[in-house]
Amino acid sequence: MQMEEFRTRARDIVNDPNLTYHQRRHYLAGLAEEALEPPALGADAREALNKRIICDLYEGNAPYRARYILPDYAKALAQGSAFLELDPPTSLDEALNFLLILYTQVPSITSYPVYLGDIDKLLEPYTDGISDEDLYDKLRLFWRALDRMFPDAFTHVDLGPDDSRVGRTIFRIERDLEQVVPNITFKVDPERTPDDFVRDGVLTVFKVAKPHFVNHPLMVRDLGEDYASVSCYNSLPIGGGSHTLVRLNLKEVARRHNGTPEAFLTTTLPHYVALTAEIIESRIRYLVEEARFFEHDFLAKEGLIDLSKFSAMFGVFGLAECVEALGAGTYGTDEAANELSYRIVDAIAAQVAATPMPHCEGNGGVCFLHSQSGIDSDVGVTAGTRVAIGAEPGLYEHIRAVAPHHDKFSAGVSDVFQVEDTVVNNPDAMVDVIRGAFHEGMRDFTFNVGCNDFIRITGYLVRKSDLAEFAASGARHNSTAFGYGAEANTHITTRNVKRVLVHERTPRPPE
Amino acid sequence: MSAPRALLNDFIPFSNVDGPGNRFVLFLQGCNFDCTFCHNPYTISTCIDCEICIEPCPEDALSLDTDGSVTVDWGRCTRCDICVDVCPYDSTPLARQVTVDEIFSEIRAAAPFLSGITVSGGEATLQPGFVAALFAEIKTHPDTRHLTTFVDSNGSCSPETWDVLLPVMDGAMIDIKAFDDAIHVALTGVGNGRVLDSIRYLARRNRLHEVRLPLISGVNDADDLLTRTARWIASIDPALRVKVIGFRKHGVRAEYQDLAEPTADQMEHYEQVLSAAGVSEIVRV
């Protein structure tokens, strides 16, 4: 980047009337990072990145903090923090205060924490002797602070799988406050989570389009008991996280292939998988060995994160277009297309599992596989391993078509199901569908119901009303700006009650 | 077990509006009522092989079989429903004979997602042998035993027919299209005596899941009629679940499109009137 371009772009950010002070500062930092040389890459990998066959999600040229960080908040509450000069809390008020302070110190790509903890398990020990009304009041203020202090819908809490007073109260608060932040994942274990609690989650979805539902036993199988789902559909070890997320555009890979689907699986696809791994490795090495994030950050020093629990995320998207380009028909509705889609993902999973990756002990020395849910600049390409918008079969066929993929994506897979508004009269029908989906092997998913004010862009939420106002006046939530880009590119809100394209990061500040 | 067959219009693996929870729903072909406000009039009659639909089919999926019946090439059919639109007899060439085995395998595959199954129509009770055999199979098989078995009916069948279903049926949903017999005749073509008998018969046997009141503005929604309806229902069981269904024009035949949909205010008023007359559990949709 030439100095003149740098100055022009910095000036545009500083003078953008639609950005808040914090947003301007955040974008200025991004611009500065962009002015640095990117981590070293071979010519093929560089070209694939430049042609957007592989996308580094605009994480920046000099990674100086891991992309997704999941501090071990339980450990923090138990031991206090020397860096923050905080003793271990002894009451609910102290615990809430402690957590709010700690959250402000958690680095991330968006500058806001993507993980706020398994909040029911963290707080339940402090609730003895507190009445239901007092618990509601205290948590309501805490919840309001989260939304106002961390205005980014990638900020995420987890709940469940066990029933709890804190969990129930939070669902109630969610329905009352209707906030964008925090996003929520509800861990459901068919053996442990009572139907009644799942129904409480469903009623919350009807109002605010969250929580996501995750298949707890499947997550435990892949990640162990101490996992959490963060940002949107990114499931990772607690006390660890992901250094980076680089995603492979399968549509673009298929476009560069001449020949049979068999040849695709054995030549073209492995070539680009290897290039993606090369980019991931160079970013990990920069973060860990050059920026030395884990040697200076207090979270690591105090044992709240541990390099040995980190890995990196290998993302894929555009599977629907890939399968179609290979001549197998329409993914989601054609059996041959579905079969090929499973073989493609199996091939990627096998290669990723056989590619050693430095500093990825959190997943046995290899990357986590992730079905990446898109960003706002994606045009004409379907998120992750989703069925293309408009090609979705009925809910039942849809679940059965995508479910076989979920087994492979231990770091998350995002399917969003649009359901008819009539379901609000019959929440038990949703409970049935959730249980059935888990039985079918689904890992995580969400529902959109057309009748509330929220729209799900990736895993994160934007208020429809905020979206309408953004062009004129800007928005308080960073993610609303991303949502605006997605709406402009894909018309998600005007689509005929269908699920939406998704995205996580915007390549640059809104022009 | 494969003996009983049914003439099936279609099935949907998931429905959240046909009883409690998520349900697999069968729509059987053929009905003995001819309701003006019917939303799926193409399920009323059975096909008489008149051939009118063959030429308009844009996919050339319909043809005349050697036995003179209209047959469907399912490989070509795109379910565009033009054949249904052109049918002058409130029928469809797409209804098909199915066996209990065929349908049971579909239900079994969807079972982990379901609370139960509902047989609707058309009129479910016109093919009771099939319904009873299907329900019996569901109640027997370990993969489907947890499913509840419901019938969505116009209530016109005899106690003897209900007796065929009762051993394997968990609940029925019965419409009262009008408590006033003359209005019922005007709306459906037949009187309501058998319907009211069915409601009493099923309620006494604890198999009446809900009574449904499809209400059309200015036709069957007068206050005094609703009051009489509610009093009668309450006399059977004041805790009976009553579902008030506002008429919608969607799918209704062109000649009846002037029927009026109730407003939200009217719907609320209906609930108040019914509640004041002694019905305690009311659901509005």
Short mmCIF file of all heavy atoms in Angstrom, two decimals, chain A residues 460-506:
data_model
loop_
_atom_site.label_atom_id
_atom_site.label_comp_id
_atom_site.label_asym_id
_atom_site.label_seq_id
_atom_site.Cartn_x
_atom_site.Cartn_y
_atom_site.Cartn_z
N TYR A 460 -24.86 -14.69 13.64
CA TYR A 460 -25.14 -13.53 14.45
C TYR A 460 -26.44 -12.86 14.01
O TYR A 460 -26.95 -13.11 12.93
CB TYR A 460 -23.98 -12.54 14.43
CG TYR A 460 -23.76 -11.85 13.12
CD1 TYR A 460 -24.39 -10.64 12.84
CD2 TYR A 460 -22.92 -12.38 12.17
CE1 TYR A 460 -24.18 -9.99 11.64
CE2 TYR A 460 -22.71 -11.74 10.98
CZ TYR A 460 -23.34 -10.55 10.71
OH TYR A 460 -23.14 -9.91 9.53
N LEU A 461 -26.92 -12.01 14.86
CA LEU A 461 -28.23 -11.43 14.63
C LEU A 461 -28.15 -9.95 14.33
O LEU A 461 -27.29 -9.25 14.82
CB LEU A 461 -29.07 -11.58 15.89
CG LEU A 461 -29.36 -13.01 16.30
CD1 LEU A 461 -29.95 -13.03 17.68
CD2 LEU A 461 -30.32 -13.61 15.31
N VAL A 462 -29.08 -9.53 13.53
CA VAL A 462 -29.26 -8.10 13.29
C VAL A 462 -30.75 -7.84 13.41
O VAL A 462 -31.56 -8.66 13.00
CB VAL A 462 -28.76 -7.73 11.87
CG1 VAL A 462 -29.11 -6.28 11.55
CG2 VAL A 462 -27.26 -7.94 11.75
N ARG A 463 -31.09 -6.72 14.00
CA ARG A 463 -32.50 -6.35 14.02
C ARG A 463 -32.90 -5.85 12.64
O ARG A 463 -32.20 -5.03 12.05
CB ARG A 463 -32.74 -5.23 15.02
CG ARG A 463 -32.83 -5.67 16.44
CD ARG A 463 -33.37 -4.49 17.25
NE ARG A 463 -33.37 -4.80 18.65
CZ ARG A 463 -32.71 -4.10 19.56
NH1 ARG A 463 -32.01 -3.04 19.20
NH2 ARG A 463 -32.75 -4.44 20.82
N LYS A 464 -34.03 -6.31 12.14
CA LYS A 464 -34.49 -5.81 10.84
C LYS A 464 -34.65 -4.30 10.89
O LYS A 464 -34.34 -3.59 9.94
CB LYS A 464 -35.85 -6.45 10.51
CG LYS A 464 -35.78 -7.92 10.17
CD LYS A 464 -37.18 -8.47 9.98
CE LYS A 464 -37.19 -9.98 10.10
NZ LYS A 464 -38.53 -10.51 10.35
N SER A 465 -35.13 -3.81 12.02
CA SER A 465 -35.36 -2.37 12.13
C SER A 465 -34.03 -1.62 12.09
O SER A 465 -33.93 -0.54 11.52
CB SER A 465 -36.14 -2.05 13.39
OG SER A 465 -35.56 -2.69 14.51
N ASP A 466 -32.98 -2.20 12.70
CA ASP A 466 -31.66 -1.56 12.66
C ASP A 466 -31.12 -1.52 11.23
O ASP A 466 -30.51 -0.55 10.81
CB ASP A 466 -30.65 -2.32 13.53
CG ASP A 466 -30.90 -2.11 15.02
OD1 ASP A 466 -31.67 -1.19 15.35
OD2 ASP A 466 -30.34 -2.88 15.82
N LEU A 467 -31.36 -2.61 10.51
CA LEU A 467 -30.88 -2.71 9.13
C LEU A 467 -31.51 -1.61 8.28
O LEU A 467 -30.84 -0.95 7.49
CB LEU A 467 -31.28 -4.09 8.59
CG LEU A 467 -30.35 -4.83 7.65
CD1 LEU A 467 -28.93 -4.87 8.15
CD2 LEU A 467 -30.88 -6.24 7.42
N ALA A 468 -32.78 -1.39 8.49
CA ALA A 468 -33.49 -0.38 7.71
C ALA A 468 -32.94 1.01 8.00
O ALA A 468 -32.88 1.87 7.13
CB ALA A 468 -34.99 -0.43 8.03
N GLU A 469 -32.49 1.21 9.23
CA GLU A 469 -32.02 2.54 9.61
C GLU A 469 -30.55 2.76 9.30
O GLU A 469 -30.09 3.90 9.29
CB GLU A 469 -32.23 2.74 11.12
CG GLU A 469 -33.68 2.97 11.50
CD GLU A 469 -33.87 2.88 13.01
OE1 GLU A 469 -32.86 2.96 13.74
OE2 GLU A 469 -35.01 2.72 13.43
N PHE A 470 -29.81 1.68 9.06
CA PHE A 470 -28.36 1.82 9.00
C PHE A 470 -27.88 2.79 7.93
O PHE A 470 -27.04 3.66 8.18
CB PHE A 470 -27.67 0.47 8.79
CG PHE A 470 -26.18 0.62 8.61
CD1 PHE A 470 -25.37 0.90 9.69
CD2 PHE A 470 -25.60 0.53 7.35
CE1 PHE A 470 -24.00 1.07 9.53
CE2 PHE A 470 -24.23 0.70 7.19
CZ PHE A 470 -23.44 0.97 8.27
N ALA A 471 -28.42 2.65 6.73
CA ALA A 471 -27.93 3.46 5.61
C ALA A 471 -28.01 4.94 5.95
O ALA A 471 -27.14 5.73 5.59
CB ALA A 471 -28.74 3.14 4.36
N ALA A 472 -29.03 5.32 6.67
CA ALA A 472 -29.23 6.73 6.98
C ALA A 472 -28.35 7.18 8.14
O ALA A 472 -27.75 8.24 8.10
CB ALA A 472 -30.70 6.97 7.29
N SER A 473 -28.24 6.37 9.19
CA SER A 473 -27.70 6.94 10.42
C SER A 473 -26.60 6.13 11.08
O SER A 473 -26.12 6.50 12.13
CB SER A 473 -28.86 7.09 11.42
OG SER A 473 -29.44 5.83 11.64
N GLY A 474 -26.16 5.02 10.47
CA GLY A 474 -25.16 4.21 11.15
C GLY A 474 -25.79 3.39 12.24
O GLY A 474 -26.98 3.52 12.53
N ALA A 475 -25.01 2.52 12.84
CA ALA A 475 -25.57 1.66 13.87
C ALA A 475 -24.58 1.47 14.99
O ALA A 475 -23.37 1.54 14.80
CB ALA A 475 -25.95 0.31 13.28
N ARG A 476 -25.11 1.23 16.18
CA ARG A 476 -24.29 1.06 17.36
C ARG A 476 -23.53 -0.27 17.32
O ARG A 476 -22.42 -0.38 17.81
CB ARG A 476 -25.20 1.15 18.58
CG ARG A 476 -24.53 1.15 19.92
CD ARG A 476 -25.54 1.52 20.99
NE ARG A 476 -26.69 0.62 21.00
CZ ARG A 476 -26.70 -0.57 21.58
NH1 ARG A 476 -25.63 -1.03 22.16
NH2 ARG A 476 -27.79 -1.31 21.55
N HIS A 477 -24.17 -1.31 16.78
CA HIS A 477 -23.54 -2.63 16.73
C HIS A 477 -22.69 -2.77 15.49
O HIS A 477 -23.15 -2.56 14.39
CB HIS A 477 -24.61 -3.73 16.73
CG HIS A 477 -25.39 -3.80 17.99
ND1 HIS A 477 -26.57 -3.11 18.17
CD2 HIS A 477 -25.16 -4.47 19.14
CE1 HIS A 477 -27.03 -3.36 19.37
NE2 HIS A 477 -26.20 -4.18 19.98
N ASN A 478 -21.42 -3.16 15.67
CA ASN A 478 -20.54 -3.37 14.52
C ASN A 478 -21.15 -4.34 13.53
O ASN A 478 -21.05 -4.19 12.33
CB ASN A 478 -19.20 -3.95 14.98
CG ASN A 478 -18.33 -2.90 15.63
OD1 ASN A 478 -18.71 -1.72 15.66
ND2 ASN A 478 -17.21 -3.31 16.15
N SER A 479 -21.77 -5.39 14.06
CA SER A 479 -22.26 -6.45 13.17
C SER A 479 -23.43 -5.96 12.33
O SER A 479 -23.73 -6.54 11.30
CB SER A 479 -22.66 -7.68 13.97
OG SER A 479 -23.33 -7.30 15.14
N THR A 480 -24.10 -4.91 12.74
CA THR A 480 -25.18 -4.39 11.91
C THR A 480 -24.62 -3.85 10.60
O THR A 480 -25.23 -4.00 9.55
CB THR A 480 -25.94 -3.29 12.66
OG1 THR A 480 -26.40 -3.81 13.89
CG2 THR A 480 -27.13 -2.80 11.84
N ALA A 481 -23.43 -3.25 10.67
CA ALA A 481 -22.81 -2.77 9.45
C ALA A 481 -22.50 -3.92 8.51
O ALA A 481 -22.71 -3.83 7.30
CB ALA A 481 -21.52 -2.02 9.78
N PHE A 482 -22.03 -5.05 9.05
CA PHE A 482 -21.78 -6.23 8.21
C PHE A 482 -23.09 -6.72 7.61
O PHE A 482 -23.18 -7.08 6.46
CB PHE A 482 -21.14 -7.36 9.00
CG PHE A 482 -19.87 -6.98 9.70
CD1 PHE A 482 -19.45 -7.68 10.81
CD2 PHE A 482 -19.09 -5.93 9.26
CE1 PHE A 482 -18.28 -7.35 11.46
CE2 PHE A 482 -17.92 -5.58 9.89
CZ PHE A 482 -17.51 -6.29 11.02
N GLY A 483 -24.10 -6.74 8.43
CA GLY A 483 -25.41 -7.19 7.96
C GLY A 483 -25.91 -6.32 6.82
O GLY A 483 -26.51 -6.80 5.87
N TYR A 484 -25.62 -5.04 6.91
CA TYR A 484 -26.05 -4.14 5.85
C TYR A 484 -25.39 -4.53 4.53
O TYR A 484 -26.02 -4.54 3.49
CB TYR A 484 -25.71 -2.70 6.24
CG TYR A 484 -26.09 -1.70 5.20
CD1 TYR A 484 -27.43 -1.35 5.02
CD2 TYR A 484 -25.13 -1.11 4.38
CE1 TYR A 484 -27.80 -0.45 4.05
CE2 TYR A 484 -25.49 -0.21 3.41
CZ TYR A 484 -26.82 0.14 3.24
OH TYR A 484 -27.18 1.02 2.28
N GLY A 485 -24.10 -4.89 4.59
CA GLY A 485 -23.41 -5.33 3.39
C GLY A 485 -24.02 -6.59 2.82
O GLY A 485 -24.21 -6.72 1.62
N ALA A 486 -24.35 -7.53 3.70
CA ALA A 486 -24.95 -8.79 3.25
C ALA A 486 -26.30 -8.54 2.61
O ALA A 486 -26.65 -9.13 1.59
CB ALA A 486 -25.09 -9.76 4.42
N GLU A 487 -27.07 -7.64 3.21
CA GLU A 487 -28.39 -7.33 2.66
C GLU A 487 -28.24 -6.71 1.27
O GLU A 487 -28.93 -7.07 0.34
CB GLU A 487 -29.12 -6.39 3.62
CG GLU A 487 -30.28 -5.61 3.03
CD GLU A 487 -31.42 -6.47 2.53
OE1 GLU A 487 -31.42 -7.68 2.81
OE2 GLU A 487 -32.30 -5.94 1.85
N ALA A 488 -27.27 -5.78 1.14
CA ALA A 488 -27.09 -5.13 -0.15
C ALA A 488 -26.66 -6.14 -1.21
O ALA A 488 -27.09 -6.07 -2.36
CB ALA A 488 -26.04 -4.03 -0.01
N ASN A 489 -25.84 -7.14 -0.83
CA ASN A 489 -25.34 -8.10 -1.81
C ASN A 489 -26.31 -9.24 -2.08
O ASN A 489 -26.24 -9.87 -3.11
CB ASN A 489 -24.01 -8.69 -1.32
CG ASN A 489 -22.86 -7.73 -1.54
OD1 ASN A 489 -22.97 -6.83 -2.36
ND2 ASN A 489 -21.79 -7.91 -0.80
N THR A 490 -27.15 -9.55 -1.16
CA THR A 490 -27.93 -10.79 -1.31
C THR A 490 -29.42 -10.62 -1.07
O THR A 490 -30.17 -11.56 -1.23
CB THR A 490 -27.43 -11.85 -0.31
OG1 THR A 490 -27.60 -11.32 1.01
CG2 THR A 490 -25.97 -12.19 -0.54
N HIS A 491 -29.83 -9.46 -0.65
CA HIS A 491 -31.26 -9.21 -0.39
C HIS A 491 -31.86 -10.24 0.55
O HIS A 491 -32.94 -10.76 0.34
CB HIS A 491 -32.05 -9.20 -1.70
CG HIS A 491 -31.46 -8.28 -2.72
ND1 HIS A 491 -31.50 -6.91 -2.57
CD2 HIS A 491 -30.77 -8.53 -3.85
CE1 HIS A 491 -30.86 -6.36 -3.60
NE2 HIS A 491 -30.41 -7.31 -4.38
N ILE A 492 -31.12 -10.52 1.60
CA ILE A 492 -31.58 -11.56 2.51
C ILE A 492 -32.93 -11.27 3.13
O ILE A 492 -33.71 -12.17 3.35
CB ILE A 492 -30.56 -11.78 3.66
CG1 ILE A 492 -30.11 -10.44 4.20
CG2 ILE A 492 -29.40 -12.62 3.20
CD1 ILE A 492 -29.13 -10.57 5.33
N THR A 493 -33.20 -10.01 3.43
CA THR A 493 -34.44 -9.74 4.14
C THR A 493 -35.65 -9.77 3.24
O THR A 493 -36.77 -9.92 3.70
CB THR A 493 -34.40 -8.36 4.84
OG1 THR A 493 -34.08 -7.39 3.86
CG2 THR A 493 -33.38 -8.35 5.95
N THR A 494 -35.44 -9.62 1.94
CA THR A 494 -36.59 -9.61 1.05
C THR A 494 -36.85 -10.98 0.45
O THR A 494 -37.83 -11.19 -0.22
CB THR A 494 -36.37 -8.62 -0.11
OG1 THR A 494 -35.11 -8.92 -0.71
CG2 THR A 494 -36.37 -7.20 0.40
N ARG A 495 -35.94 -11.90 0.70
CA ARG A 495 -36.13 -13.24 0.19
C ARG A 495 -37.37 -13.84 0.84
O ARG A 495 -37.73 -13.51 1.95
CB ARG A 495 -34.91 -14.08 0.49
CG ARG A 495 -34.83 -15.32 -0.32
CD ARG A 495 -33.50 -16.00 -0.14
NE ARG A 495 -32.45 -15.29 -0.82
CZ ARG A 495 -31.47 -14.67 -0.21
NH1 ARG A 495 -31.42 -14.63 1.07
NH2 ARG A 495 -30.54 -14.07 -0.90
N ASN A 496 -37.98 -14.71 0.09
CA ASN A 496 -39.28 -15.26 0.48
C ASN A 496 -39.14 -16.21 1.67
O ASN A 496 -39.06 -17.41 1.51
CB ASN A 496 -39.86 -15.97 -0.73
CG ASN A 496 -41.27 -16.41 -0.48
OD1 ASN A 496 -41.91 -15.91 0.44
ND2 ASN A 496 -41.75 -17.33 -1.28
N VAL A 497 -39.17 -15.65 2.87
CA VAL A 497 -38.92 -16.40 4.11
C VAL A 497 -37.99 -17.59 3.89
O VAL A 497 -38.38 -18.73 4.04
CB VAL A 497 -40.19 -16.91 4.82
CG1 VAL A 497 -40.46 -16.16 6.11
CG2 VAL A 497 -41.39 -16.94 3.91
N LYS A 498 -36.76 -17.27 3.54
CA LYS A 498 -35.78 -18.34 3.38
C LYS A 498 -34.58 -18.03 4.25
O LYS A 498 -34.37 -16.90 4.65
CB LYS A 498 -35.35 -18.43 1.91
CG LYS A 498 -36.36 -19.17 1.04
CD LYS A 498 -36.50 -20.62 1.48
CE LYS A 498 -37.54 -21.34 0.65
NZ LYS A 498 -37.81 -22.69 1.18
N ARG A 499 -33.77 -19.02 4.50
CA ARG A 499 -32.58 -18.79 5.31
C ARG A 499 -31.62 -17.89 4.56
O ARG A 499 -31.78 -17.66 3.38
CB ARG A 499 -31.94 -20.10 5.71
CG ARG A 499 -31.54 -20.97 4.56
CD ARG A 499 -31.46 -22.39 5.03
NE ARG A 499 -32.75 -22.88 5.47
CZ ARG A 499 -33.69 -23.25 4.61
NH1 ARG A 499 -33.51 -23.18 3.33
NH2 ARG A 499 -34.84 -23.67 5.05
N VAL A 500 -30.68 -17.41 5.29
CA VAL A 500 -29.90 -16.31 4.75
C VAL A 500 -28.46 -16.69 4.49
O VAL A 500 -27.92 -17.59 5.11
CB VAL A 500 -29.93 -15.13 5.72
CG1 VAL A 500 -31.34 -14.62 5.89
CG2 VAL A 500 -29.36 -15.53 7.07
N LEU A 501 -27.83 -15.99 3.58
CA LEU A 501 -26.39 -16.05 3.44
C LEU A 501 -25.76 -15.45 4.68
O LEU A 501 -26.37 -14.65 5.36
CB LEU A 501 -25.94 -15.24 2.24
CG LEU A 501 -25.85 -15.97 0.91
CD1 LEU A 501 -25.21 -15.02 -0.10
CD2 LEU A 501 -25.03 -17.24 1.01
N VAL A 502 -24.54 -15.82 4.92
CA VAL A 502 -23.95 -15.38 6.17
C VAL A 502 -22.52 -14.90 5.96
O VAL A 502 -21.92 -15.13 4.94
CB VAL A 502 -23.92 -16.56 7.13
CG1 VAL A 502 -25.31 -16.96 7.50
CG2 VAL A 502 -23.20 -17.71 6.50
N HIS A 503 -22.00 -14.27 6.95
CA HIS A 503 -20.65 -13.75 6.85
C HIS A 503 -20.15 -13.40 8.23
O HIS A 503 -20.92 -13.18 9.14
CB HIS A 503 -20.64 -12.51 5.99
CG HIS A 503 -21.60 -11.51 6.50
ND1 HIS A 503 -22.94 -11.61 6.25
CD2 HIS A 503 -21.43 -10.48 7.33
CE1 HIS A 503 -23.54 -10.62 6.88
NE2 HIS A 503 -22.67 -9.94 7.55
N GLU A 504 -18.87 -13.35 8.39
CA GLU A 504 -18.33 -13.09 9.71
C GLU A 504 -17.61 -11.77 9.81
O GLU A 504 -17.63 -11.10 10.81
CB GLU A 504 -17.34 -14.19 10.09
CG GLU A 504 -18.03 -15.48 10.44
CD GLU A 504 -17.07 -16.44 11.06
OE1 GLU A 504 -15.95 -16.53 10.55
OE2 GLU A 504 -17.43 -17.07 12.06
N ARG A 505 -16.86 -11.46 8.75
CA ARG A 505 -16.03 -10.26 8.84
C ARG A 505 -16.23 -9.46 7.59
O ARG A 505 -16.52 -9.99 6.52
CB ARG A 505 -14.55 -10.67 8.92
CG ARG A 505 -14.22 -11.43 10.16
CD ARG A 505 -14.03 -10.50 11.34
NE ARG A 505 -13.02 -9.51 11.07
CZ ARG A 505 -13.12 -8.24 11.43
NH1 ARG A 505 -14.19 -7.80 12.04
NH2 ARG A 505 -12.17 -7.39 11.16
N THR A 506 -16.10 -8.19 7.72
CA THR A 506 -16.18 -7.38 6.52
C THR A 506 -14.76 -7.10 6.06
O THR A 506 -13.85 -6.94 6.87
CB THR A 506 -16.95 -6.09 6.81
OG1 THR A 506 -17.35 -5.53 5.56
CG2 THR A 506 -16.15 -5.10 7.60
#
